[in-house]
Amino acid sequence: MSSEAAAEHAVHVHQAPTNPIWRYVFSTDHKVIGIQYWILALVSAFVGMGLSVWFRLHLLNQGHVAQLTDQLSLLVEGSADYNAIKAKIDALQTAWYHMEPSQYLGILTMHGTILVFMVLTTAPMGGFGNYFLPIQVGALDMAFPRLNMLSFWLTFLSFVTLMAAFFVPGGSPNAGWTGYPPLSAVPDSQGNGYQGPGGWGQDLWVLSIAIFCFASLVGAINFIVTTLDLRTKGMTLMRMPLTCWAWFVTAILALLSFAVLLVAGLLLLLDRNLGTSFYVPGDLFVSNKLLVDHKGGSPLLFQHLFWFFGHPEVYIAIVPGMGLASHLLSSFARKPVFGYRAMVYAIFGIGVLGFFVWGHHMFQSGMSPYVAVAFSVMTMVVGVPSAIKTFNWLGTIWGGNIRFQSPMLYALGFVSLFVTGGIGGIFLGQNAVDIYFHDTYFVVGHFHMIMGVAAIFGMFAGTVYWFPKVTGKMMNEPLSQAHFWCTFLGVNVIFIVMHLMGLEGHPRRYSGFAFEFLSSDYMVRMHTIVTHTAIFTASAQVLFLINLVYSLAAGKKAGDNPWESTSLEWATTSPPPFENFKDGVLPEVHHGPYEYSVPDAAKDYIMQHDPPEARPATAPAPH
Amino acid sequence: MTPVIFVLVILGLVVGTVAGFALKAPLLPDLITEHGRIIDQQLVLTLYITGAIFAIAQLGLAYLIYKHRHRDGVKASYLQGSTKLEYTWTVATLVLFVGLNLMGQGVWAQMHLNEKPARPVNIEVTAMQFKWIFRYPGKDGNLGARAAEYINPAEGNYVGKDPDDANGDDDFQLLSMSVPYGIPVVVDIRSIDVLHGFAVREMRLKQDAVPGLSVNIPFTVEKDGTLEFPLSGNYAADLDKGELPDALKHELNANKLVWKDKASLRALEPGRVWRLTLDPDSINRPYLVKLENGRLNLYRSWYELACMELCGYGHYQMRSQVNVLSPVEYAEFVEKNSP
Amino acid sequence: MSEATAAVAPAEAAPAAAAHGPAHAPAKDDPWYGGRHPFAIDSKKFGMWLFIASDSITFAAILFAYTYVRLSDPDWPLVFNAGSVALSTLMTFVLLTSSLTMVLGVAAANAGKRKQAALWTFATALGGLAFIVIHAWEWSHVIHGLPEGPLPLMWCAFFTATGMHMLHVTVGFFYLTIVGLAYLGGKFKPIDIEVAGLYWHFVDLVWMFVFPMIYLMSTDMTKGFGH
Ligand code: HEM
Ligand SMILES: [Cu+2]
């Protein structure tokens, strides 16, 4: 078969289906699937954010109630002042956003689960990765388009299952996003004699996660095979954009870690429903009686399995953002990535070392204290590649000619947030210091900073950067910038203040202020700042929505390569044709991914598929 | 314009964050344990180091953003990296991070790895939804055996104390914890239902309570109390008589120290140190009044004990308290409570 | 997946590149070694290897859980006797035999002997079915003999590990049957048989861990053959 014949063949079998159901719903086209994932993540993000605003309001409310109650104790019962304050308290306790303690935990659990799984794990990989990995490596589609469709629909099923947990008898699961047993394993254990959740919600939660594991496994296989097998001619590994490296490493992490979460969930499901006792020790005294149908298990077993998945998972959320940040910093600083190889090694280093640090979530769990020392040292070692990446990002813009368009703003914001969030890790990674910080708001601040917002800034960056490619229209620049500033300011305030609350010892997952040190003026002031800023920041997200809708309807028309970037997605039309490249003829790659400002070159960037001559012989050798 | 805003925002971020930490007074809650001092040192050292890293990295970012902002006619340099720099910062961060970590292992060993102190005060801590139960060995120093089969809510025996074990005859249990200062204590932390977390901020102590497991943690409280506020009047004479003058009552009230039932007062060292206990019959909140440098100071000797591992809807109210007593008071406390 | 994959699968594309590319092997310093696509490995085969990597981790996690709870119990019961070992050895034998027939099937397929390959594949599936039947019989026995009260951890681990494995065998049974039929009907290629073979060998290999860890290490031979 000649190459023309191959191309013809490709075009022939790779035609867009005409029926809209197959084209837009049950599509096997990686671009459609990418958009589906992205929309799923967007919806989930807004649901998750809405929940957080709700419980922030509740918390602020409870802070005031606690302080008013203190005042009350100073007054004479029945006096006018007393009655006034009493009325205020009653009003607060019946506000629409007031929550029962159990409901609070349910909403908190759903918030964490939705955001970690449905947003942080889907959008960077399933969304952007699906759409752009095949195009960036020069392929017509993913290696297994039908499995790709299966991944998405399984993820969707998982999402629906999780949402159902809101509505079943007993309400949402309330054991936290980490779902530690025995609380999650023994339905009776949700509180002494308390008729509350502990029913189906927790089962649906486990089920949803198990389905999610399958979906991620299938997706990971697809990503790895596509990266290694389907690169177009000339796209050597060391010519792949760092985004592709990041997706590749992320896929490996997902492949090896979700397999363990699946087991963690399976055993939990068995413990809950079929009378096994993997996580349930004997002689538990719950709901005022001895539990007789379990014996011998260990709650720590779950924690080991969960965090063996959990730590790689945090990298699954952030690594694609790291790749994209590198890509954008280079593209908008018009400069090669500083230390491309070091970046690749660092991503791999993070991936490999990330499997040996899970115990840092368990320093205080009752795990062997000797093992804790080993985990602690390993944790500090895994901080090194993260630091290397930061240095290289700074190196990339050093000597650049930075264009401050919105994708670059988000990328720079990513770097700043990553630094701030990573620094929390230096405290927590030390087993001795973690004695003080474990399970306080310091941890909450740390992981929201880095995994919550840094990773989400990666998604914002990806959205504005690739929007023109996907839709053929530019997003509105002033709106993007306004959204960036509001969000960047807001999240910094919220989560740095949470670090301060952690320093004061504020425990996480508290729905009220039953402690004296919690209703101190300092704490309540901090809670007030956090809640107010959270409302502000959440409202600012409307700018983003408006921008999406507005740009989709009336955005400026984008050319093929509005940002003057070099990677292959900019070598095709906006939006790309069904077969990604014109007539399904794959481009041939002759250059590295970050050939910006090459000395003596005609333009200030050389695209990957430009002919070899585009790069002057006089220019220094590529990395 | 944009780079300038960016620089200003980062500047604000750095200044605001540094101020947030620097102006937080006190930086950390009061500290009463010996090992806690080392933890605090390590924490503060880390704070300085990372604070510097934070400031340098963010300001560096701002500097680069401004310096290399787009200007017409300027071309970016074609700089692809520097192996020498890569090695330098890799080794530097490795040494810094691991070194910092190793410095903290001493106190970890002291708490978890070293042999437990000889002849400590043993206290058994049992966590359950949503309360803490503390069992003391009584005068014989030995706790009676326990087993789940003996759990009997009707008699308040949640611990599962074996009624036939003679060691347990003088055991007593309470809902709050009292410890002597200056004497090593070992707590045996356990749970009878789900996970809980034993944590006292001022003790820099935190340990999950795991059903099926019992974890022993040693500590020594090295202070009899922490300064709450200085008193304005001099009530020494009244205090020695065991009387609480109205002026003092008002002063306490003004500082939001209100008590429901009554207060008890006794001199620990007449003329110098008095024990003032608020609400002795219900919550029992011990304070000290001390005469120091010619003036009276009020010290607090009780600290809140919080649950730090999600344990169900009542997690947020799973509260108890730790009272710090003098060794003499502690002996009396054991005497008084032993059946 | 098959058609769309075919369009981009290297197996299809490689000859194309060979046709217009240089006839000689690419030089070592050529940045590109492969044809249009870098690796000659078939995507499906590679995908199956990755699935196996992931699935081994799943089994490893289950066996880790088993080891974990076992090590934390100083008097772990030895629940099996010589009779159960005889039975599980028989199961091992059946499974190993099916691996052999699988090898023969793959060889026949690669040699282009369509019918023979399909027959070997069906024989393999039958071996799997036999395994399931014996195993199910064993399960029902165990279930009937369970003590009152909470399910002992040994049996929790037993049912989970062997159940997970049995699930894989069951999936394999259908997988092999479908692949065999489709290959016979000309819809599938030899590579599909080979990929199915990979899966099957993996399932056998897992048993080679389950058998000693779950059965042999929990056997008290002095207990004889009865139950
Ligand atoms: C500089 C490297 C990092 C170090 C040394 C580090 C260290 C730690 C440690 C020790 C904890 C446990 C704290 C505790 O529960 O007491 C923790 C929690 C966490 N970290 Fe990091 N971390 C680092 C970077 C990251 C990154 C890059 C992410 C995600 C993108 C991340 C996400 C999380 C999450 C989600 C948790 C909390 C999980 C939970 O308990 O709910 N961390 N980190
Ligand atoms: Cu981690």
Side-chain angles (χ1 to χ4, degrees), chain A residues 505-590:
Chain A
H506 197 311
R508 65 192 281 202
R509 294 169 169 163
Y510 269 27
S511 61
F513 290 68
F515 286 75
E516 188 192 80
F517 75 87
L518 291 181
S519 45
S520 71
D521 289 344
Y522 185 79
M523 285 295 199
V524 175
R525 194 157 62 238
M526 295 294 132
H527 269 295
T528 313
I529 296 176
V530 170
T531 299
H532 288 174
T533 319
I535 293 169
F536 164 76
T537 315
S539 321
Q541 303 317 302
V542 175
L543 291 177
F544 185 69
L545 275 191
I546 293 177
N547 196 352
L548 283 177
V549 175
Y550 170 80
S551 307
L552 209 54
K556 251 196 350 236
K557 218 170 138 24
D560 287 353
N561 189 3
W563 312 115
E564 303 188 306
S565 289
T566 54
S567 42
L568 288 185
E569 76 268 33
W570 307 107
T572 183
T573 52
S574 305
F578 182 72
E579 55 278 7
N580 290 351
F581 299 96
K582 191 164 178 306
D583 299 332
V585 178
L586 299 177
E588 218 168 275
V589 167
H590 301 288

Side-chain angles (χ1 to χ4, degrees), chain A residues 347-360:
Chain A
I347 291 194
F348 255 93
I350 287 176
V352 173
L353 294 174
F355 276 106
F356 301 96
V357 299
W358 78 87
H360 65 213

Side-chain angles (χ1 to χ4, degrees), chain A residues 177 307 314 318 361 379 425 428 434 438 446-447 450-451 508:
Chain A
W177 84 275
W307 289 116
V314 307
I318 195 87
H361 297 272
T379 299
L428 301 173
D434 187 58
H438 177 62
H446 158 67
F447 73 75
I450 200 153
M451 170 151 142
R508 65 192 281 202

Side-chain angles (χ1 to χ4, degrees), chain A residues 116 177-178 180 306-307 310-311 313-319 322 360-364 379-380 382-384 386-387 418 421-430 434 437-440 443-444 446-448 450-452 455 508-509, chain B residues 97:
Chain A
V116 168
W177 84 275
T178 50
Y180 280 3
F306 184 87
W307 289 116
H311 192 81
E313 160 66 18
V314 307
Y315 287 123
I316 290 173
I318 195 87
V319 164
M322 293 174 160
H360 65 213
H361 297 272
M362 298 171 63
F363 288 147
Q364 266 55 257
T379 299
M380 298 310 268
V382 81
V384 174
S386 306
F418 185 79
I423 277 174
I426 308 298
F427 290 84
L428 301 173
Q430 303 180 53
D434 187 58
F437 284 130
H438 177 62
D439 268 339
T440 63
V443 177
V444 181
H446 158 67
F447 73 75
H448 276 87
I450 200 153
M451 170 151 142
R508 65 192 281 202
R509 294 169 169 163
Chain B
F97 288 179

Side-chain angles (χ1 to χ4, degrees), chain A residues 3-24:
Chain A
S3 62
E4 292 76 38
E8 198 176 287
H9 178 64
V11 174
H12 175 68
V13 297
H14 205 79
Q15 250 169 10
T18 42
N19 185 330
I21 296 257
W22 302 117
R23 181 151 189 182
Y24 298 115

Side-chain angles (χ1 to χ4, degrees), chain A residues 240-278:
Chain A
M240 288 199 307
L242 285 170
T243 41
C244 296
W245 273 110
W247 288 318
F248 179 51
V249 170
T250 307
I252 297 176
L253 290 174
L255 184 80
L256 302 180
S257 66
F258 274 106
V260 175
L261 181 63
L262 185 62
V263 173
L266 174 73
L267 301 188
L268 189 55
L269 211 56
L270 293 178
D271 274 6
R272 284 180 67 79
N273 297 302
L274 292 178
T276 61
S277 309
F278 288 102

Side-chain angles (χ1 to χ4, degrees), chain A residues 14 16 23-24 27-39 126-135 139-142 145 148 469-470 569 572-573 575-581:
Chain A
H14 205 79
R23 181 151 189 182
Y24 298 115
S27 170
T28 58
D29 178 6
H30 70 103
K31 296 187 287 303
V32 176
I33 297 175
I35 295 172
Q36 288 172 329
Y37 264 116
W38 185 88
I39 292 175
F128 296 122
N130 239 314
Y131 200 110
F132 289 104
L133 175 73
I135 308 189
L140 297 176
D141 202 327
M142 282 288 198
N148 202 12
K469 181 52 61 184
V470 174
E569 76 268 33
T572 183
T573 52
F578 182 72
E579 55 278 7
N580 290 351
F581 299 96

